[in-house]
Amino acid sequence: MNRSTHITPVKSTRKRGFTLIEVMIAVGILTVGSVGILAMQQASTRGNLNARRMTTATNVARIWVERVRRDALAWTSNVTGSPNGIAATNYIQATPVAGESGWFAPTSPDPTESYGFDWHGQDSNVADDIRYCTHINTRWVVVNQVARVDVRTFWYRRGDGAAGNTNQNLFPNCGAGGGEAAVGVELTNPSPRLHAIYASTLVRWRSSPQ
């Protein structure tokens, strides 16, 4: 009687490892992925910073629009030379009979109010702290009746000022008003990093309450 012999295969205990080429490919893929993630993070950070600066500039322009409207409350007569006429205002009185006043830095009688604002959007009279520069321009819509006031706020969208500007006085000519090329510290005309946001409002004289 023949008997068959059953042979059980013996499993190999040897484990196959990664080759050097496989390790290098894996490291390369991880490196490319990490670089992409870092680039996205930097782009996101720059975008958030630019958005924050634009939002602050918008708020600064809005603040000055409200100040101009408040200034118009003193304008209670449309008679030229009247003590309650346009001469009673601080900013609107710069409106000429013909044409426009040209951009100028509004000087408030209140020392806590300034045409310059710091990084946080707060009024500042310290030159080295100013990060936003505001000018206004006025013109008549109806002479001695209705005036249009434009508000313009400058800021640097990327970076702070020109290379070599060690004192951080980014707007040395803000108080002088004038055109865009003369506002900041950079000499290019206009600066590629200097941006501005505009706002406008209409104001009119109001009758004194009886």
Side-chain angles (χ1 to χ4, degrees):
M1 182 176 181
N2 295 331
R3 294 182 179 180
S4 60
T5 303
H6 180 72
I7 301 175
T8 303
V10 179
K11 296 183 179 179
S12 176
T13 57
R14 297 178 58 187
K15 295 183 179 179
R16 182 176 177 273
F18 294 101
T19 65
L20 179 60
I21 294 178
E22 290 174 331
V23 172
M24 292 178 64
I25 292 175
V27 171
I29 294 174
L30 289 175
T31 301
V32 172
S34 299
V35 171
I37 293 174
L38 290 175
M40 291 176 57
Q41 180 67 25
Q42 291 177 354
S44 176
T45 301
R46 287 194 301 267
N48 289 337
L49 179 60
N50 288 335
R52 182 188 187 281
R53 291 182 175 181
M54 179 177 290
T55 300
T56 303
T58 302
N59 290 335
V60 168
R62 185 181 298 114
I63 287 172
W64 268 106
V65 165
E66 293 304 320
R67 288 176 180 177
V68 168
R69 291 173 178 170
R70 181 193 62 193
D71 185 48
L73 295 177
W75 184 17
T76 58
S77 173
N78 65 340
V79 178
T80 303
S82 169
N84 296 323
I86 193 173
T89 65
N90 294 311
Y91 316 120
I92 310 170
Q93 64 172 311
T95 310
V97 175
E100 57 187 44
S101 64
W103 294 101
F104 64 94
T107 302
S108 174
D110 186 344
T112 64
E113 297 181 353
S114 172
Y115 51 77
F117 288 75
D118 64 15
W119 171 252
H120 301 287
Q122 302 295 324
D123 292 85
S124 177
N125 292 308
V126 181
D128 290 353
D129 292 339
I130 293 177
R131 294 295 180 269
Y132 300 90
C133 169
T134 300
H135 292 160
I136 63 177
N137 182 31
T138 64
R139 69 188 73 184
W140 286 117
V141 176
V142 179
V143 177
N144 291 333
Q145 299 280 346
V146 182
R148 169 177 169 171
V149 181
D150 299 318
V151 177
R152 176 180 68 183
T153 298
F154 287 105
W155 84 99
Y156 285 96
R157 189 169 184 180
R158 292 184 61 185
D160 280 336
N165 179 39
T166 57
N167 63 359
Q168 293 300 309
N169 186 356
L170 303 184
F171 296 102
N173 302 315
C174 182
E180 180 177 353
V183 173
V185 297
E186 299 186 283
L187 300 179
T188 52
N189 185 14
S191 164
R193 292 187 297 173
L194 189 62
H195 290 250
I197 193 165
Y198 293 78
S200 299
T201 186
L202 295 177
V203 293
R204 68 180 301 275
W205 73 282
R206 64 184 185 90
S207 301
S208 299
Q210 301 296 327

